[in-house]
Amino acid sequence: MAALAWLLIPLLAAIGAGLWGSWASRNRKAAGDGSELAGYARFREAMEKSHSGS
């Protein structure tokens, strides 16, 4: 009976990994990266200004 319990551990881990993998690879609606890219561009411009002024 103890051997059966030890075999259930990897089985449950494999089932959990399969569920997590299907959840992680689900199709999500693309929200778009426009605002993040615009914020990064503003950040780069600000950093260039601070370095070019010194």
Side-chain angles (χ1 to χ4, degrees):
M1 192 67 168
L4 183 60
W6 278 106
L7 289 174
L8 286 177
I9 294 171
L11 177 65
L12 293 175
I15 291 171
L19 290 173
W20 179 83
S22 63
W23 177 79
S25 66
R26 70 190 187 282
N27 290 332
R28 300 180 188 164
K29 293 182 180 177
D33 293 332
S35 61
E36 288 87 1
L37 291 175
Y40 180 66
R42 288 192 306 270
F43 170 76
R44 286 183 47 199
E45 290 171 7
M47 293 306 287
E48 289 174 0
K49 289 179 185 175
S50 68
H51 284 237
S52 63
S54 356

Coordinates of all heavy atoms in Angstrom, one line a residue:
M1 N 0.8 -1.2 0.0 CA 0.0 0.0 0.0 C 0.9 1.3 0.0 O 0.5 2.3 -0.6 CB -0.9 -0.1 1.2 CG -2.0 1.0 1.2 SD -3.1 0.6 -0.1 CE -4.4 1.6 0.3
A2 N 2.0 1.2 0.7 CA 2.9 2.4 0.7 C 3.5 2.6 -0.6 O 3.7 3.8 -1.0 CB 4.0 2.1 1.8
A3 N 3.7 1.6 -1.4 CA 4.3 1.8 -2.8 C 3.3 2.5 -3.6 O 3.6 3.3 -4.5 CB 4.7 0.4 -3.4
L4 N 2.0 2.2 -3.5 CA 0.9 2.8 -4.2 C 0.9 4.3 -3.9 O 0.7 5.1 -4.8 CB -0.4 2.1 -3.9 CG -1.6 2.6 -4.7 CD1 -1.3 2.4 -6.2 CD2 -2.9 1.9 -4.3
A5 N 1.0 4.6 -2.6 CA 1.0 6.0 -2.2 C 2.2 6.8 -2.9 O 2.0 7.9 -3.3 CB 1.1 6.1 -0.7
W6 N 3.4 6.1 -2.9 CA 4.5 6.8 -3.6 C 4.3 6.9 -5.1 O 4.9 7.8 -5.7 CB 5.8 6.0 -3.3 CG 6.4 6.3 -2.0 CD1 6.3 5.6 -0.9 CD2 7.0 7.5 -1.6 NE1 6.9 6.2 0.2 CE2 7.3 7.4 -0.2 CE3 7.3 8.7 -2.3 CZ2 8.0 8.4 0.5 CZ3 8.0 9.7 -1.6 CH2 8.3 9.6 -0.2
L7 N 3.5 6.0 -5.7 CA 3.3 6.2 -7.1 C 2.2 7.3 -7.4 O 2.2 7.8 -8.5 CB 2.8 4.8 -7.7 CG 3.8 3.8 -7.8 CD1 3.2 2.4 -8.2 CD2 4.9 4.2 -8.8
L8 N 1.4 7.5 -6.4 CA 0.4 8.6 -6.6 C 1.0 10.0 -6.6 O 0.5 10.9 -7.3 CB -0.7 8.5 -5.5 CG -1.7 7.4 -5.7 CD1 -2.6 7.3 -4.5 CD2 -2.5 7.5 -6.9
I9 N 2.1 10.2 -5.9 CA 2.7 11.5 -5.9 C 3.2 12.0 -7.3 O 2.8 13.1 -7.7 CB 3.9 11.5 -4.9 CG1 3.4 11.3 -3.5 CG2 4.7 12.8 -5.0 CD1 4.4 11.1 -2.4
P10 N 3.9 11.2 -8.0 CA 4.3 11.7 -9.4 C 3.1 11.8 -10.3 O 3.0 12.6 -11.2 CB 5.3 10.6 -9.9 CG 5.5 9.6 -8.9 CD 4.6 10.0 -7.7
L11 N 2.1 10.9 -10.1 CA 0.9 11.0 -10.9 C 0.2 12.3 -10.7 O -0.2 13.0 -11.7 CB 0.0 9.8 -10.6 CG -1.3 9.8 -11.4 CD1 -1.1 9.6 -12.9 CD2 -2.3 8.7 -10.9
L12 N 0.0 12.6 -9.4 CA -0.7 13.9 -9.1 C 0.2 15.1 -9.6 O -0.4 16.1 -10.1 CB -0.9 14.0 -7.6 CG -2.0 13.0 -7.1 CD1 -2.1 13.1 -5.6 CD2 -3.3 13.2 -7.8
A13 N 1.5 15.0 -9.5 CA 2.3 16.0 -10.0 C 2.2 16.2 -11.5 O 2.2 17.3 -12.1 CB 3.8 15.8 -9.6
A14 N 2.1 15.1 -12.2 CA 2.0 15.1 -13.7 C 0.6 15.7 -14.1 O 0.6 16.5 -15.0 CB 2.1 13.7 -14.3
I15 N -0.4 15.4 -13.4 CA -1.7 16.0 -13.7 C -1.7 17.5 -13.4 O -2.2 18.3 -14.2 CB -2.8 15.3 -12.8 CG1 -3.0 13.8 -13.3 CG2 -4.1 16.0 -12.9 CD1 -3.9 13.0 -12.4
G16 N -1.1 17.8 -12.3 CA -1.0 19.3 -11.9 C -0.2 20.0 -13.0 O -0.5 21.1 -13.4
A17 N 0.9 19.4 -13.5 CA 1.7 20.1 -14.5 C 1.0 20.2 -15.8 O 1.1 21.2 -16.5 CB 3.0 19.3 -14.7
G18 N 0.2 19.2 -16.1 CA -0.6 19.3 -17.3 C -1.7 20.4 -17.3 O -1.9 21.1 -18.2
L19 N -2.3 20.5 -16.1 CA -3.3 21.5 -15.9 C -2.7 22.9 -16.0 O -3.2 23.8 -16.6 CB -4.1 21.3 -14.6 CG -5.0 20.1 -14.5 CD1 -5.5 20.0 -13.1 CD2 -6.1 20.3 -15.5
W20 N -1.5 23.0 -15.3 CA -0.8 24.3 -15.3 C -0.4 24.7 -16.7 O -0.5 25.8 -17.2 CB 0.4 24.3 -14.4 CG 1.1 25.6 -14.4 CD1 0.8 26.8 -13.7 CD2 2.2 25.9 -15.2 NE1 1.7 27.7 -14.0 CE2 2.6 27.3 -15.0 CE3 3.0 25.2 -16.1 CZ2 3.6 27.9 -15.6 CZ3 4.1 25.8 -16.7 CH2 4.4 27.2 -16.4
G21 N 0.1 23.7 -17.5 CA 0.6 23.9 -18.8 C -0.5 24.4 -19.7 O -0.4 25.3 -20.6
S22 N -1.7 23.8 -19.6 CA -2.8 24.2 -20.4 C -3.3 25.5 -20.1 O -3.7 26.3 -20.9 CB -4.0 23.1 -20.4 OG -4.5 23.1 -19.0
W23 N -3.3 25.9 -18.8 CA -3.7 27.2 -18.3 C -2.7 28.3 -18.8 O -3.1 29.3 -19.2 CB -3.8 27.2 -16.8 CG -4.2 28.6 -16.3 CD1 -5.4 29.2 -16.2 CD2 -3.3 29.5 -15.7 NE1 -5.3 30.4 -15.7 CE2 -4.0 30.7 -15.3 CE3 -1.9 29.5 -15.5 CZ2 -3.5 31.8 -14.8 CZ3 -1.3 30.6 -14.9 CH2 -2.1 31.8 -14.5
A24 N -1.4 28.0 -18.7 CA -0.4 28.9 -19.1 C -0.4 29.2 -20.6 O 0.0 30.3 -21.0 CB 1.0 28.4 -18.6
S25 N -0.8 28.2 -21.4 CA -0.7 28.4 -22.8 C -2.0 28.8 -23.5 O -2.2 28.7 -24.7 CB -0.2 27.1 -23.5 OG -1.1 26.1 -23.3
R26 N -3.0 29.2 -22.6 CA -4.3 29.5 -23.2 C -4.2 30.8 -24.0 O -3.3 31.6 -23.9 CB -5.3 29.7 -22.0 CG -5.0 31.0 -21.2 CD -5.9 31.0 -20.0 NE -5.8 32.2 -19.3 CZ -4.8 32.6 -18.5 NH1 -3.8 31.7 -18.3 NH2 -4.8 33.7 -17.8
N27 N -5.1 30.9 -24.9 CA -5.2 32.1 -25.8 C -5.7 33.3 -25.0 O -6.9 33.2 -24.5 CB -6.0 31.9 -27.0 CG -5.3 30.9 -28.0 OD1 -4.1 30.8 -28.0 ND2 -6.1 30.2 -28.7
R28 N -5.0 34.3 -24.9 CA -5.5 35.5 -24.2 C -5.7 36.6 -25.2 O -5.1 36.7 -26.3 CB -4.4 36.0 -23.2 CG -4.0 35.0 -22.2 CD -3.0 35.5 -21.3 NE -2.5 34.5 -20.4 CZ -1.4 34.5 -19.7 NH1 -0.6 35.6 -19.8 NH2 -1.0 33.6 -19.0
K29 N -6.7 37.5 -24.9 CA -6.9 38.6 -25.7 C -5.8 39.6 -25.6 O -5.4 40.0 -24.5 CB -8.2 39.3 -25.3 CG -9.4 38.4 -25.6 CD -10.7 39.2 -25.2 CE -11.9 38.3 -25.4 NZ -13.2 38.9 -25.0
A30 N -5.2 39.9 -26.7 CA -4.1 40.8 -26.7 C -4.6 42.2 -26.3 O -5.4 42.8 -27.0 CB -3.4 40.9 -28.1
A31 N -4.0 42.7 -25.3 CA -4.4 44.1 -24.8 C -3.6 45.1 -25.5 O -4.0 46.3 -25.5 CB -4.1 44.2 -23.3
G32 N -2.5 44.7 -26.2 CA -1.7 45.7 -26.9 C -0.6 46.3 -26.0 O -0.8 46.4 -24.8
D33 N 0.5 46.5 -26.6 CA 1.6 47.1 -25.8 C 1.9 48.5 -26.1 O 3.0 49.0 -25.8 CB 2.9 46.3 -26.2 CG 2.8 44.8 -25.7 OD1 2.1 44.6 -24.7 OD2 3.4 44.0 -26.3
G34 N 0.9 49.2 -26.7 CA 1.1 50.6 -27.1 C 1.5 51.5 -25.9 O 2.4 52.3 -26.0
S35 N 0.7 51.4 -24.8 CA 1.0 52.3 -23.7 C 2.4 52.0 -23.1 O 3.1 52.9 -22.7 CB -0.1 52.2 -22.7 OG -0.2 50.9 -22.2
E36 N 2.7 50.7 -23.0 CA 4.0 50.3 -22.4 C 5.2 50.8 -23.3 O 6.2 51.3 -22.8 CB 4.1 48.8 -22.2 CG 3.2 48.3 -21.1 CD 1.8 48.0 -21.6 OE1 1.6 48.2 -22.8 OE2 1.0 47.6 -20.7
L37 N 5.0 50.7 -24.6 CA 6.1 51.1 -25.5 C 6.2 52.6 -25.5 O 7.3 53.2 -25.5 CB 5.8 50.6 -26.9 CG 5.9 49.1 -27.1 CD1 5.5 48.7 -28.5 CD2 7.3 48.7 -26.8
A38 N 5.1 53.3 -25.4 CA 5.2 54.8 -25.3 C 5.8 55.2 -24.0 O 6.6 56.2 -24.0 CB 3.8 55.4 -25.4
G39 N 5.5 54.6 -22.9 CA 6.2 54.9 -21.7 C 7.6 54.6 -21.7 O 8.4 55.4 -21.2
Y40 N 8.0 53.5 -22.3 CA 9.5 53.2 -22.4 C 10.2 54.3 -23.3 O 11.3 54.7 -23.0 CB 9.7 51.8 -23.0 CG 11.1 51.4 -23.2 CD1 11.9 51.2 -22.1 CD2 11.7 51.2 -24.4 CE1 13.2 50.9 -22.2 CE2 13.0 50.9 -24.6 CZ 13.8 50.7 -23.4 OH 15.1 50.3 -23.6
A41 N 9.5 54.7 -24.4 CA 10.1 55.7 -25.2 C 10.3 57.0 -24.5 O 11.4 57.7 -24.6 CB 9.3 56.0 -26.5
R42 N 9.3 57.4 -23.6 CA 9.5 58.6 -22.8 C 10.6 58.4 -21.8 O 11.4 59.4 -21.6 CB 8.2 58.9 -22.1 CG 7.1 59.4 -23.0 CD 5.9 60.0 -22.2 NE 5.4 59.0 -21.2 CZ 4.4 58.2 -21.5 NH1 3.8 58.1 -22.7 NH2 4.0 57.4 -20.5
F43 N 10.7 57.3 -21.2 CA 11.8 57.0 -20.3 C 13.2 57.1 -21.0 O 14.1 57.7 -20.4 CB 11.6 55.6 -19.7 CG 12.8 55.1 -18.9 CD1 13.0 55.6 -17.6 CD2 13.7 54.2 -19.5 CE1 14.1 55.1 -16.9 CE2 14.8 53.7 -18.7 CZ 15.0 54.2 -17.4
R44 N 13.3 56.5 -22.2 CA 14.6 56.7 -22.9 C 14.9 58.1 -23.2 O 16.1 58.5 -23.1 CB 14.5 55.8 -24.2 CG 14.6 54.3 -23.9 CD 14.6 53.5 -25.2 NE 15.6 54.1 -26.1 CZ 15.6 53.8 -27.4 NH1 14.7 53.0 -27.9 NH2 16.5 54.3 -28.2
E45 N 13.9 58.9 -23.6 CA 14.2 60.3 -23.9 C 14.6 61.0 -22.7 O 15.5 61.9 -22.7 CB 12.9 60.9 -24.5 CG 12.6 60.5 -25.9 CD 11.2 61.0 -26.4 OE1 10.6 61.8 -25.6 OE2 10.7 60.5 -27.4
A46 N 14.0 60.8 -21.6 CA 14.4 61.4 -20.3 C 15.8 61.0 -19.9 O 16.6 61.9 -19.4 CB 13.4 61.1 -19.2
M47 N 16.2 59.8 -20.1 CA 17.5 59.4 -19.7 C 18.5 60.0 -20.6 O 19.6 60.3 -20.2 CB 17.6 57.9 -19.7 CG 16.8 57.2 -18.7 SD 17.1 57.8 -17.0 CE 18.7 57.1 -16.7
E48 N 18.2 60.1 -21.9 CA 19.2 60.7 -22.9 C 19.4 62.2 -22.5 O 20.5 62.7 -22.6 CB 18.7 60.5 -24.3 CG 18.8 59.1 -24.8 CD 18.2 58.9 -26.2 OE1 17.6 59.9 -26.7 OE2 18.2 57.8 -26.7
K49 N 18.3 62.9 -22.1 CA 18.4 64.3 -21.8 C 19.3 64.5 -20.5 O 20.1 65.4 -20.5 CB 17.0 64.9 -21.5 CG 16.2 65.1 -22.7 CD 14.8 65.6 -22.4 CE 13.9 65.7 -23.6 NZ 12.6 66.1 -23.2
S50 N 19.1 63.6 -19.5 CA 19.9 63.7 -18.3 C 21.3 63.5 -18.6 O 22.2 64.0 -17.9 CB 19.3 62.8 -17.2 OG 19.6 61.5 -17.6
H51 N 21.7 62.6 -19.5 CA 23.1 62.3 -19.7 C 23.7 63.3 -20.7 O 24.9 63.6 -20.6 CB 23.2 60.9 -20.3 CG 23.0 59.8 -19.3 ND1 24.0 58.8 -19.1 CD2 22.0 59.6 -18.4 CE1 23.6 58.1 -18.1 NE2 22.4 58.5 -17.7
S52 N 23.0 63.8 -21.6 CA 23.5 64.8 -22.6 C 23.8 66.1 -21.9 O 24.6 66.9 -22.3 CB 22.7 64.9 -23.8 OG 21.4 65.4 -23.4
G53 N 23.0 66.5 -20.9 CA 23.2 67.8 -20.2 C 24.4 67.9 -19.3 O 24.8 68.9 -19.0
S54 N 25.0 66.8 -18.9 CA 26.1 66.8 -17.9 C 27.4 67.0 -18.6 O 27.8 66.6 -19.6 CB 26.2 65.6 -17.0 OG 25.2 64.7 -17.1

